[in-house]
Amino acid sequence: MRILHVLDHSIPLHSGYTFRTRSILQQQRALGWETCHITSSKQGAAGPAKESVDGLEFYRTAPSTGMLARLPVFSQLAVIDTLAARLLEVARQVRPDILHAHSPALNAVAALRVGKKLGIPVVYEIRAFWEDAAVDHGTASEWGMRYRFTRAMETYALKRVDAATTICEGLRGEIITRGIPAQKLTVIPNAVNIEDFSIGGQRDAALAASLGMDGKVVLGFIGSFYAYEGLDVLLQAVPAMLAANPDIRVLLVGGGPQDAALKAQAEALGISGQVVFTGRVPHSEVQRYYDLIDVLVYPRLKMRLTDLVTPLKPLEAMAQGRLLAASDVGGHKELIIDGETGVLFRAGDPQALAQKVLALLAEPQRWAALRASGRNYVETERNWRASVARYKPVYAALSQRG
């Protein structure tokens, strides 16, 4: 079976691609499926029309040109037009059995055009609703014109594709409310490559000393500093935690839109000496910072985006046998059983965060069981081999229909 994946601009031109996409493509290849891949004009600079990345073939779509490409809303329609034209050309060449479009809906609409023309079934994979992410990033207002337009396009695509997949039960429930039959939907959950993670990494003493973490209890977050991550709530909780345990330190690794605001907040709270901002670090160095952290904290705020979408970071933490504390948003509750694979606290509540983290630190007798349960969960349920295998019946049904 040959699958042609239709991908978006989140895939860099020359330097790999998003973690979930990479894992899916690698596992599909391991399962014996032929895969090829096309990216839209949102990719950026045109580059070569075709290239190989990690042994996988990528066809590139040249950037949209003309007046429409420079106008709001119409620029998105131009993306669909250029992708559909390039996809038609590639599909005629590689003759796929299935077109597998990945969100956003721009890719799905282009795939639907080509699928209808060539008689190829279309699968659409939804990882998040982009209108909700746009609200958090400040590029759209909830239920504003752009929000409604994007939502309508997503629903249009979902109603017309032959099958749809999504990453979690929260998104599945939302999709069903839009009038999409439940039998049309399959959950292909986020997972980890378990062989990429090991338990028992040793703290780098030199790095700890350089960051002022030597002999300290370290709470940490590694990732992008978006508003919905709720890192401001973590900082609000720090004074109360320091009052109970002066040896607590907070390590924030990464960067993003909230970077300056978080540093200003730490200054205003008088905790700049206890909170370390490392900035972004090379991927090859990330493990050294993980190994400094005693408890990983994920204080996501409660909103549509975080209630509907499951993140990857807690799964990576569990794969390493880490202790973790997370807010009780819907996306976290799908992954973490409070008191079994981690601890949950009330979202948006610094006092609740402080109480749960301090209680966890005060009970070291619980740590081994928490770490073992988390690792077992990803080994048995959230590994990419098991997750990607769920595509088998989806693809098989569409292939038989054809």
PDB file of all heavy atoms in Angstrom, residues 64-78:
ATOM      1  N   SER A  64       3.227  30.516  -2.901  1.00  0.00           N
ATOM      2  CA  SER A  64       2.151  31.141  -3.657  1.00  0.00           C
ATOM      3  C   SER A  64       2.596  32.518  -4.138  1.00  0.00           C
ATOM      4  O   SER A  64       3.326  33.222  -3.449  1.00  0.00           O
ATOM      5  CB  SER A  64       0.908  31.287  -2.778  1.00  0.00           C
ATOM      6  OG  SER A  64       0.536  30.053  -2.227  1.00  0.00           O
ATOM      7  N   THR A  65       2.158  32.883  -5.335  1.00  0.00           N
ATOM      8  CA  THR A  65       2.486  34.201  -5.886  1.00  0.00           C
ATOM      9  C   THR A  65       1.206  34.881  -6.336  1.00  0.00           C
ATOM     10  O   THR A  65       0.126  34.298  -6.307  1.00  0.00           O
ATOM     11  CB  THR A  65       3.456  34.074  -7.070  1.00  0.00           C
ATOM     12  OG1 THR A  65       2.867  33.236  -8.075  1.00  0.00           O
ATOM     13  CG2 THR A  65       4.788  33.478  -6.637  1.00  0.00           C
ATOM     14  N   GLY A  66       1.323  36.112  -6.752  1.00  0.00           N
ATOM     15  CA  GLY A  66       0.148  36.836  -7.225  1.00  0.00           C
ATOM     16  C   GLY A  66      -0.491  37.658  -6.122  1.00  0.00           C
ATOM     17  O   GLY A  66      -0.123  37.588  -4.948  1.00  0.00           O
ATOM     18  N   MET A  67      -1.486  38.435  -6.491  1.00  0.00           N
ATOM     19  CA  MET A  67      -2.124  39.366  -5.567  1.00  0.00           C
ATOM     20  C   MET A  67      -2.830  38.649  -4.420  1.00  0.00           C
ATOM     21  O   MET A  67      -2.767  39.067  -3.263  1.00  0.00           O
ATOM     22  CB  MET A  67      -3.123  40.246  -6.327  1.00  0.00           C
ATOM     23  CG  MET A  67      -3.776  41.320  -5.459  1.00  0.00           C
ATOM     24  SD  MET A  67      -4.881  42.388  -6.407  1.00  0.00           S
ATOM     25  CE  MET A  67      -3.698  43.142  -7.530  1.00  0.00           C
ATOM     26  N   LEU A  68      -3.531  37.522  -4.711  1.00  0.00           N
ATOM     27  CA  LEU A  68      -4.282  36.824  -3.675  1.00  0.00           C
ATOM     28  C   LEU A  68      -3.385  36.356  -2.540  1.00  0.00           C
ATOM     29  O   LEU A  68      -3.777  36.362  -1.378  1.00  0.00           O
ATOM     30  CB  LEU A  68      -5.016  35.610  -4.272  1.00  0.00           C
ATOM     31  CG  LEU A  68      -6.253  35.891  -5.121  1.00  0.00           C
ATOM     32  CD1 LEU A  68      -6.860  34.581  -5.599  1.00  0.00           C
ATOM     33  CD2 LEU A  68      -7.284  36.691  -4.336  1.00  0.00           C
ATOM     34  N   ALA A  69      -2.161  35.969  -2.889  1.00  0.00           N
ATOM     35  CA  ALA A  69      -1.229  35.444  -1.882  1.00  0.00           C
ATOM     36  C   ALA A  69      -0.827  36.497  -0.861  1.00  0.00           C
ATOM     37  O   ALA A  69      -0.299  36.162   0.197  1.00  0.00           O
ATOM     38  CB  ALA A  69       0.013  34.884  -2.568  1.00  0.00           C
ATOM     39  N   ARG A  70      -1.099  37.785  -1.165  1.00  0.00           N
ATOM     40  CA  ARG A  70      -0.701  38.859  -0.248  1.00  0.00           C
ATOM     41  C   ARG A  70      -1.870  39.424   0.550  1.00  0.00           C
ATOM     42  O   ARG A  70      -1.686  40.355   1.342  1.00  0.00           O
ATOM     43  CB  ARG A  70      -0.026  39.979  -1.039  1.00  0.00           C
ATOM     44  CG  ARG A  70       1.277  39.559  -1.709  1.00  0.00           C
ATOM     45  CD  ARG A  70       2.033  40.745  -2.262  1.00  0.00           C
ATOM     46  NE  ARG A  70       1.326  41.367  -3.377  1.00  0.00           N
ATOM     47  CZ  ARG A  70       1.476  41.003  -4.645  1.00  0.00           C
ATOM     48  NH1 ARG A  70       2.305  40.020  -4.955  1.00  0.00           N
ATOM     49  NH2 ARG A  70       0.813  41.618  -5.604  1.00  0.00           N
ATOM     50  N   LEU A  71      -3.073  38.869   0.361  1.00  0.00           N
ATOM     51  CA  LEU A  71      -4.262  39.392   1.027  1.00  0.00           C
ATOM     52  C   LEU A  71      -4.712  38.462   2.154  1.00  0.00           C
ATOM     53  O   LEU A  71      -4.667  37.231   2.004  1.00  0.00           O
ATOM     54  CB  LEU A  71      -5.409  39.555   0.022  1.00  0.00           C
ATOM     55  CG  LEU A  71      -5.164  40.556  -1.117  1.00  0.00           C
ATOM     56  CD1 LEU A  71      -6.337  40.501  -2.100  1.00  0.00           C
ATOM     57  CD2 LEU A  71      -4.987  41.964  -0.567  1.00  0.00           C
ATOM     58  N   PRO A  72      -5.137  39.011   3.296  1.00  0.00           N
ATOM     59  CA  PRO A  72      -5.663  38.179   4.383  1.00  0.00           C
ATOM     60  C   PRO A  72      -6.800  37.292   3.891  1.00  0.00           C
ATOM     61  O   PRO A  72      -7.582  37.703   3.032  1.00  0.00           O
ATOM     62  CB  PRO A  72      -6.155  39.210   5.410  1.00  0.00           C
ATOM     63  CG  PRO A  72      -5.379  40.449   5.103  1.00  0.00           C
ATOM     64  CD  PRO A  72      -5.178  40.447   3.609  1.00  0.00           C
ATOM     65  N   VAL A  73      -6.917  36.121   4.428  1.00  0.00           N
ATOM     66  CA  VAL A  73      -7.926  35.109   4.076  1.00  0.00           C
ATOM     67  C   VAL A  73      -7.675  34.564   2.674  1.00  0.00           C
ATOM     68  O   VAL A  73      -7.535  33.355   2.473  1.00  0.00           O
ATOM     69  CB  VAL A  73      -9.363  35.653   4.202  1.00  0.00           C
ATOM     70  CG1 VAL A  73     -10.363  34.564   3.793  1.00  0.00           C
ATOM     71  CG2 VAL A  73      -9.640  36.130   5.621  1.00  0.00           C
ATOM     72  N   PHE A  74      -7.609  35.445   1.683  1.00  0.00           N
ATOM     73  CA  PHE A  74      -7.385  34.978   0.311  1.00  0.00           C
ATOM     74  C   PHE A  74      -6.029  34.299   0.177  1.00  0.00           C
ATOM     75  O   PHE A  74      -5.850  33.429  -0.675  1.00  0.00           O
ATOM     76  CB  PHE A  74      -7.495  36.152  -0.675  1.00  0.00           C
ATOM     77  CG  PHE A  74      -8.892  36.667  -0.833  1.00  0.00           C
ATOM     78  CD1 PHE A  74      -9.285  37.833  -0.186  1.00  0.00           C
ATOM     79  CD2 PHE A  74      -9.829  35.984  -1.602  1.00  0.00           C
ATOM     80  CE1 PHE A  74     -10.576  38.313  -0.319  1.00  0.00           C
ATOM     81  CE2 PHE A  74     -11.126  36.454  -1.740  1.00  0.00           C
ATOM     82  CZ  PHE A  74     -11.504  37.621  -1.098  1.00  0.00           C
ATOM     83  N   SER A  75      -5.077  34.699   1.013  1.00  0.00           N
ATOM     84  CA  SER A  75      -3.765  34.055   0.964  1.00  0.00           C
ATOM     85  C   SER A  75      -3.873  32.572   1.307  1.00  0.00           C
ATOM     86  O   SER A  75      -3.128  31.740   0.773  1.00  0.00           O
ATOM     87  CB  SER A  75      -2.801  34.751   1.919  1.00  0.00           C
ATOM     88  OG  SER A  75      -3.250  34.621   3.264  1.00  0.00           O
ATOM     89  N   GLN A  76      -4.818  32.224   2.211  1.00  0.00           N
ATOM     90  CA  GLN A  76      -5.025  30.824   2.552  1.00  0.00           C
ATOM     91  C   GLN A  76      -5.627  30.045   1.389  1.00  0.00           C
ATOM     92  O   GLN A  76      -5.284  28.879   1.152  1.00  0.00           O
ATOM     93  CB  GLN A  76      -5.921  30.713   3.793  1.00  0.00           C
ATOM     94  CG  GLN A  76      -5.431  31.519   4.993  1.00  0.00           C
ATOM     95  CD  GLN A  76      -4.000  31.165   5.373  1.00  0.00           C
ATOM     96  OE1 GLN A  76      -3.704  30.015   5.691  1.00  0.00           O
ATOM     97  NE2 GLN A  76      -3.109  32.142   5.337  1.00  0.00           N
ATOM     98  N   LEU A  77      -6.515  30.694   0.656  1.00  0.00           N
ATOM     99  CA  LEU A  77      -7.081  30.056  -0.526  1.00  0.00           C
ATOM    100  C   LEU A  77      -6.011  29.844  -1.581  1.00  0.00           C
ATOM    101  O   LEU A  77      -6.013  28.834  -2.302  1.00  0.00           O
ATOM    102  CB  LEU A  77      -8.218  30.907  -1.081  1.00  0.00           C
ATOM    103  CG  LEU A  77      -9.393  31.153  -0.121  1.00  0.00           C
ATOM    104  CD1 LEU A  77     -10.439  32.047  -0.774  1.00  0.00           C
ATOM    105  CD2 LEU A  77     -10.028  29.830   0.313  1.00  0.00           C
ATOM    106  N   ALA A  78      -5.059  30.793  -1.676  1.00  0.00           N
ATOM    107  CA  ALA A  78      -3.957  30.641  -2.616  1.00  0.00           C
ATOM    108  C   ALA A  78      -3.082  29.453  -2.245  1.00  0.00           C
ATOM    109  O   ALA A  78      -2.579  28.737  -3.118  1.00  0.00           O
ATOM    110  CB  ALA A  78      -3.125  31.924  -2.656  1.00  0.00           C
TER     111      ALA A  78
END
